[in-house]
Amino acid sequence: MRAFLLFWSALWTVSLPLIRGYLRKRAKKDPLYAQHLPERFGRYETPRRGAVWFHAVSLGEVRSAVPLMRAMLEAGEHLLITCFTPAGRREAERVFAGEAVQVVWVPLELERCFKRFFNAFAPKLGLVMEVEIWPRMVQSARDHGVPLLMCNAGYPLNSMMRDRGFPLRPAVMRRFAGALVKSELQRERFREVGVEPIFVTGELRFDQPIPPAHLEKGALALAALAQGRPVIGLASIVEGEEELILSAIARALTELTPRPLIVLVPRAPERFAPMAEALTEMGVNFARRSELFDKDLTLKDPAQIDLLLGDSIGEMYFYLSLTDRVLVGGGFTPKGSHNIIEPLALGKPVVVGPDISTIEYPAVEAIRAGVCLQVGPDQVLRAFSAEGWPGPRPDQITAFLEEHSGGTRRAMEALQPWLQK
């Protein structure tokens, strides 16, 4: 491992010009990439020492960590949150504005950068959300005596199979101080590669808070826009499945009776404009959220539309609140499906594509419970109507949520030995 880390550091060192170029390129679309650059090299202004450190690389990881972060604050802990992307940083700063939380960029994978980081903050405990395996981060935590644990962790089967031929990642995972995993199946997978100790705490996203304002604004928008029509949600649609989804939209608007209202939310902000262009070329009667609503989600113009294009970040619960059922994207590409818990939390039946490797838990359990439907590319239209899929009863979704919630409490219990030191 030491030999690999020397090679790893050398690789990052020679790649620094490319990394700087990458950040400058991304900054053309999002200026925040070019801000606070000293932090990426381990130099921080007014660091607060002794906090509980969460590494949440981007928006999804920050959101999944919020319930546990809240529990930590209620227990009297100070928090340090490191992110890599502007979306993650903005969300963390928005959610915890004015609280005992410091949000900074994670250092680059260089020993000297992490040495400055740990000397500056001296965190009492580190939690890496999901499975972010960064060798220098993990080794530097060990070198500085900071217990670093995987949190809300899952080990997809395809990743596990790849690692059997190239076991570097398992070697790094064994250097963590432990893992808080999502299910008994995940416990067995992490145990097989030698991770210890392991705690089955469940999925933190089941405990995510739902913004009441999003639901209130959604109810008003629904009454004005849908006017009794069924509403189909297409959430977290990614590049690579857009053509399939656009084709399904065209068929839904011409073949389904009554004609539905569709809420389309691309996963990445850079896809907002291309999707708008594609819808225009198709002749779809649509409006963008940025045009139809003000910054507080108040409807400016109750336009007669067939599709609302969600071109904003951080408002997923608003979009989902409008819908009767939701197709969650990603699963029609090899990269895997995205989060199904948010629509289920609002009582919405969920549809996913073939690849659920990224959300194996809780997707397998949700499909088995009848609250989620898995379809192939030629079955998408079927999922859009009650005739194609009647969907679950509301009490089925409620029972599923009750069975799988409580991850925050279990995580706090598992972490007590480290928090009390």
Side-chain angles (χ1 to χ4, degrees):
M1 181 57 68
R2 291 288 181 182
F4 169 76
L5 287 171
L6 289 173
F7 165 76
W8 185 246
S9 294
L11 182 62
W12 273 78
T13 300
V14 300
S15 299
L16 279 177
L18 296 176
I19 295 169
R20 291 179 183 272
Y22 169 81
L23 294 174
R24 285 194 297 269
K25 181 179 179 181
R26 295 302 301 266
K28 292 179 180 178
K29 293 185 177 180
D30 191 330
L32 188 52
Y33 270 105
Q35 297 172 17
H36 312 288
L37 283 180
E39 294 178 0
R40 299 202 185 263
F41 293 89
R43 297 186 175 93
Y44 303 92
E45 296 180 4
T46 61
R48 174 177 285 178
R49 296 172 64 84
V52 175
W53 166 38
F54 284 81
H55 176 56
V57 65
S58 192
L59 180 64
E61 289 78 11
V62 170
R63 287 180 176 167
S64 70
V66 166
L68 184 55
M69 292 175 177
R70 284 282 177 214
M72 290 286 185
L73 289 172
E74 291 172 6
E77 302 290 347
H78 298 297
L79 302 186
L80 167 66
I81 304 174
T82 57
C83 304
F84 184 82
T85 72
R89 182 168 185 148
R90 285 194 184 96
E91 181 72 359
E93 290 175 340
R94 182 191 67 80
V95 171
F96 297 106
E99 300 189 57
V101 178
Q102 191 165 8
V103 185
V104 299
W105 294 133
V106 67
L108 299 176
E109 274 283 285
L110 291 166
E111 182 177 11
R112 61 183 181 274
C113 297
F114 269 105
K115 183 176 181 179
R116 296 187 194 111
F117 172 84
F118 284 110
N119 287 340
F121 290 107
K124 67 188 297 184
L125 169 67
L127 298 168
V128 177
M129 299 308 300
E130 310 300 329
V131 182
E132 285 285 315
I133 308 298
W134 293 101
R136 175 49 62 190
M137 175 193 289
V138 177
Q139 186 59 49
S140 292
R142 286 174 63 95
D143 292 343
H144 288 82
V146 176
L148 185 64
L149 292 91
M150 290 176 274
C151 184
N152 213 41
Y155 196 2
L157 181 60
N158 54 3
S159 298
M160 192 174 186
M161 298 302 292
R162 284 197 302 268
D163 290 345
R164 287 175 178 172
F166 187 61
L168 177 63
R169 178 159 49 182
V172 176
M173 288 197 292
R174 287 192 290 272
R175 282 175 143 68
F176 278 89
L180 279 59
V181 305
K182 299 182 181 185
S183 66
E184 289 291 343
L185 175 62
Q186 298 302 326
R187 184 210 293 266
E188 294 308 311
R189 289 182 182 172
F190 280 102
R191 179 174 288 162
E192 184 174 325
V193 296
V195 176
E196 288 289 350
I198 304 172
F199 307 90
V200 179
T201 52
E203 170 61 77
L204 293 175
R205 287 183 175 89
F206 281 105
D207 297 341
Q208 279 184 327
I210 300 173
H214 284 189
L215 305 187
E216 295 167 5
K217 295 293 186 179
L220 295 173
L222 177 63
L225 297 177
Q227 298 181 347
R229 287 184 292 170
V231 185
I232 300 166
L234 304 171
S236 297
I237 303 303
V238 303
E239 192 174 9
E241 63 187 3
E242 291 172 348
E243 184 176 348
L244 171 68
I245 296 300
L246 289 170
S247 175
I249 288 172
R251 290 189 61 191
L253 293 177
T254 56
E255 298 179 19
L256 295 184
T257 303
R259 188 183 182 90
L261 172 68
I262 297 174
V263 179
L264 171 62
V265 188
R267 174 75 176 178
E270 55 266 28
R271 303 308 301 168
F272 294 161
M275 289 298 277
E277 292 173 5
L279 291 168
T280 300
E281 292 176 2
M282 291 168 56
V284 175
N285 179 21
F286 79 99
R288 298 175 67 146
R289 174 261 183 261
S290 57
E291 300 167 343
L292 207 57
F293 298 84
D294 66 16
K295 63 181 179 63
D296 295 320
L297 291 171
T298 298
L299 188 64
K300 295 187 291 186
D301 178 17
Q304 299 296 313
I305 59 173
D306 291 323
L307 187 145
L308 172 64
L309 177 61
D311 61 346
S312 64
I313 295 295
E315 296 177 342
M316 185 59 79
Y317 280 115
F318 166 72
Y319 295 122
L320 295 174
S321 71
L322 300 172
T323 65
D324 296 312
R325 58 181 59 204
V326 181
L327 183 148
V328 173
F332 297 97
T333 74
K335 294 183 179 180
S337 183
H338 290 288
N339 180 18
I340 65 171
I341 296 174
E342 289 174 336
L344 287 173
L346 295 186
K348 313 296 183 178
V350 183
V351 179
V352 292
D355 192 333
I356 56 171
S357 59
T358 48
I359 56 164
E360 187 174 21
Y361 177 85
V364 171
E365 288 78 3
I367 293 167
R368 186 182 302 129
V371 300
C372 178
L373 176 69
Q374 187 176 27
V375 300
D378 59 343
Q379 300 172 304
V380 174
L381 191 64
R382 171 195 166 204
F384 284 2
S385 68
E387 290 73 22
W389 179 47
R393 302 184 311 275
D395 65 293
Q396 287 179 270
I397 300 179
T398 299
F400 179 79
L401 294 172
E402 290 176 350
E403 180 182 354
H404 294 277
S405 63
T408 301
R409 172 183 52 79
R410 290 187 290 270
M412 287 296 290
E413 291 172 354
L415 292 170
Q416 284 308 306
W418 289 279
L419 293 172
Q420 292 172 358
K421 287 183 179 179

